[in-house]
């Protein structure tokens, strides 16, 4: 460690550039991971808020709630408890005159069920009548206010926004909570159609002629673009870890080759090889640790400065995984020149 610190202090510019390059990679890993988690969270944040364990849908809906319909007879065959909520989902465009329309998911619910009662209202109140809605807070961020009257898919009736709720998104679109009678009217369903599906806080295994219960994992994996989006980000993050390993390994190898005469003198003076190896490894760890500290500070500043509309979010696991992964890459990169150090011949390297 002493040798590593002395050398870094002596060659500030050289090692500063290496730290800067590693910092950029660490920053990009954190930013990409934050965006990946933020986008994934916007796909499922409402489902998580509902503590969903199972979803009951029409068998022919391909796990897509917007395409699912459940009849009155279907609901009679399912033993509904206070852990279940019947919902009607419909993709809509909400628009107020003079404002930009917003793509949203209208969610028709029942007053006595947990989805209605557990809405996290941050302004206003919950809807009470057929043509009232509570909307995700992103509506507020885009200039909509309490009392605004909006049309949904060009509907004849206008719907009044009476409240804003926190974390109400599904399929990366904001939710507008209303009631099932309004959902039926908007969707123009046939008589006897009661809902799109059932959200359950239990693990259900019900199955009928027209419907089936699905676990939450299987349901979320089928959300449009969810799996593909996560896989893309995971591959990007993996490639960036590999790039960080390559940078650390290549630079340390080049530096080791340049320092062979110095190492040869130290070996001739009786300094054991393990001391030189530890100096190289500790140097790698110091460089990466410095870059990580800078990257964490930079990403904290970025997260505080970016607009709320950018879906960047973090968990302690993301930070720990990034730090751990980068330190492992540093350790592997630091071990790269070991063979070269072990093969040093003091006589030849000095020029004897």
């Amino acid at each position: 460690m002493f040798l590593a610190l002395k050398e870094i202090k002596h060659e500030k510019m050289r090692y500063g550039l290496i730290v800067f390059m590693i910092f950029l990679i660490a920053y990009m890993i954190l930013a990409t991971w934050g965006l990946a988690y933020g986008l994934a969270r916007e796909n499922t944040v409402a489902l998580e808020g509902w503590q969903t364990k199972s979803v009951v849908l029409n068998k022919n809906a391909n796990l897509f709630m917007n395409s699912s319909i459940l009849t009155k007879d279907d609901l009679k065959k399912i033993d509904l408890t206070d852990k279940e909520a019947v919902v009607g989902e419909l993709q809509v465009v909400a628009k107020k005159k003079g404002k930009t329309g917003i793509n949203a998911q209208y969610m028709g619910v029942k007053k006595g069920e947990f989805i209605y009662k557990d809405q996290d209202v941050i302004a206003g109140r919950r809807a009470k009548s057929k043509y009232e809605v509570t909307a995700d807070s992103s509506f507020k961020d885009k200039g909509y206010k309490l009392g605004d009257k909006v049309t949904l898919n060009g509907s004849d009736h206008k719907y009044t926004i009476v409240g804003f709720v926190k974390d109400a998104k599904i399929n990366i679109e904001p939710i507008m909570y209303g009631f099932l009678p309004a959902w039926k009217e908007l969707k123009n369903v046939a008589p006897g159609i009661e809902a799109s599906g059932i959200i359950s806080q239990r693990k259900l295994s019900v199955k009928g002629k027209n419907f089936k219960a699905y676990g939450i994992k299987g349901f979320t994996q089928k959300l449009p673009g969810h799996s593909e989006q996560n896989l893309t980000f995971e591959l990007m993050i993996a490639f960036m870890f590999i790039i960080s390993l390559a940078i650390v390994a290549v630079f340390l190898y080049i530096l080791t080759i340049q320092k062979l005469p110095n190492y040869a003198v130290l070996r001739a003076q009786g300094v054991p090889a393990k001391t030189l190896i530890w100096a190289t490894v500790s140097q790698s760890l110091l460089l990466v640790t410095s870059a990580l500290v800078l990257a964490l500070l930079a990403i904290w500043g970025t997260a505080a400065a970016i607009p709320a509309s950018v879906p960047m979010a973090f968990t302690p696991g993301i930070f720990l995984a990034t730090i751990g992964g980068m330190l492992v890459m540093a350790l592997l990169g630091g071990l790269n020149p070991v063979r070269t150090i072990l093969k040093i011949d003091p006589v030849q390297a000095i020029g004897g």
Side-chain angles (χ1 to χ4, degrees):
M1 184 69 76
F2 173 76
L3 287 174
L5 285 170
K6 291 290 287 183
E7 190 173 358
I8 290 172
K9 287 181 181 179
H10 187 262
E11 297 284 354
K12 294 183 181 69
M13 180 62 73
R14 176 187 293 178
Y15 288 103
L17 289 172
I18 296 172
V19 168
F20 181 68
M21 291 186 68
I22 299 170
F23 153 76
L24 290 177
I25 293 171
Y27 178 81
M28 286 302 298
I29 289 173
L30 285 167
T32 303
W33 215 328
L35 287 170
Y37 175 71
L39 283 169
R41 186 171 178 271
E42 288 204 344
N43 248 326
T44 60
V45 65
L47 293 166
E48 292 169 8
W50 301 334
Q51 301 176 40
T52 310
K53 295 290 194 308
S54 306
V55 180
V56 180
L57 300 173
N58 187 289
K59 283 183 177 180
N60 299 315
N62 196 27
L63 275 81
F64 190 44
M65 193 179 292
N66 265 315
S67 302
S68 174
I69 52 172
L70 296 180
T71 65
K72 188 177 294 185
D73 289 338
D74 292 332
L75 296 181
K76 286 180 180 178
K77 295 173 183 175
I78 302 171
D79 182 21
L80 299 177
T81 69
D82 60 358
K83 296 292 185 181
E84 280 75 50
V86 178
V87 298
E89 185 182 12
L90 176 67
Q91 189 168 29
V92 296
V93 176
K95 193 172 190 319
K96 180 189 174 184
K97 188 176 181 180
K99 291 190 180 293
T100 304
I102 298 177
N103 292 324
Q105 297 287 338
Y106 184 89
M107 196 70 66
V109 298
K110 289 185 176 181
K111 274 188 181 180
E113 297 179 339
F114 68 84
I115 290 182
Y116 175 81
K117 293 189 289 186
D118 294 346
Q119 291 177 36
D120 189 2
V121 180
I122 58 173
R125 58 173 174 81
R126 290 187 294 239
K128 293 180 180 178
S129 63
K130 183 178 177 180
Y131 297 116
E132 291 183 342
V133 294
T134 52
D136 177 69
S137 57
S138 59
F139 273 79
K140 188 178 181 181
D141 298 334
K142 292 179 181 178
Y144 284 76
K145 305 185 298 295
L146 293 176
D148 280 353
K149 295 183 182 296
V150 299
T151 58
L152 303 180
N153 291 349
S155 57
D156 294 331
H157 289 283
K158 290 189 176 181
Y159 293 75
T160 305
I161 298 176
V162 296
F164 292 109
V165 293
K166 182 181 177 183
D167 290 337
K169 285 189 174 73
I170 191 168
N171 293 359
I172 320 182
E173 290 184 339
I175 288 175
M176 301 185 81
Y177 288 110
F179 297 106
L180 282 168
W183 169 79
K184 293 178 186 179
E185 186 176 290
L186 285 165
K187 197 173 177 70
N188 194 25
V189 297
I193 302 299
E194 291 295 313
S196 296
I198 299 169
I199 303 296
S200 178
Q201 296 177 331
R202 300 183 296 161
K203 289 185 178 179
L204 295 179
S205 58
V206 296
K207 189 175 181 181
K209 180 181 178 182
N210 300 315
F211 60 86
K212 182 181 178 182
Y214 301 91
I216 185 60
K217 186 175 181 180
F219 177 72
T220 54
Q221 289 302 312
K222 278 285 189 176
L223 290 173
H226 183 71
S227 299
E228 296 82 357
Q229 168 193 292
N230 287 348
L231 180 60
T232 300
F233 278 115
E234 286 166 7
L235 288 173
M236 289 172 62
I237 292 166
F239 279 129
M240 281 188 274
F241 274 121
I242 293 170
I243 291 169
S244 71
L245 169 61
I247 287 177
V248 173
V250 169
F251 272 101
L252 287 178
Y253 182 77
I254 292 172
L255 291 172
T256 300
I257 295 298
Q258 292 176 342
K259 294 183 292 187
L260 281 179
N262 298 332
Y263 282 162
V265 171
L266 292 171
R267 288 294 303 276
Q269 292 175 343
V271 176
K274 67 179 181 180
T275 301
L276 301 180
I277 292 170
W278 171 240
T280 303
V281 172
S282 60
Q283 190 176 78
S284 172
L285 291 171
L286 279 171
L287 295 174
V288 171
T289 300
S290 301
L292 276 170
V293 171
L294 294 173
L296 289 169
L297 290 172
I299 204 68
W300 176 81
T302 301
I306 60 174
S309 58
V310 179
M312 181 178 282
F314 297 94
T315 65
I318 289 175
F319 292 121
L320 291 174
T322 302
I323 292 169
M326 290 295 291
L327 290 177
V328 169
M329 296 300 105
L331 183 61
L332 294 174
L335 292 174
N336 181 54
V338 166
R339 189 165 175 268
T340 303
I341 295 172
L342 291 174
K343 290 174 65 178
I344 290 175
D345 183 347
V347 176
Q348 289 183 1
I350 296 171

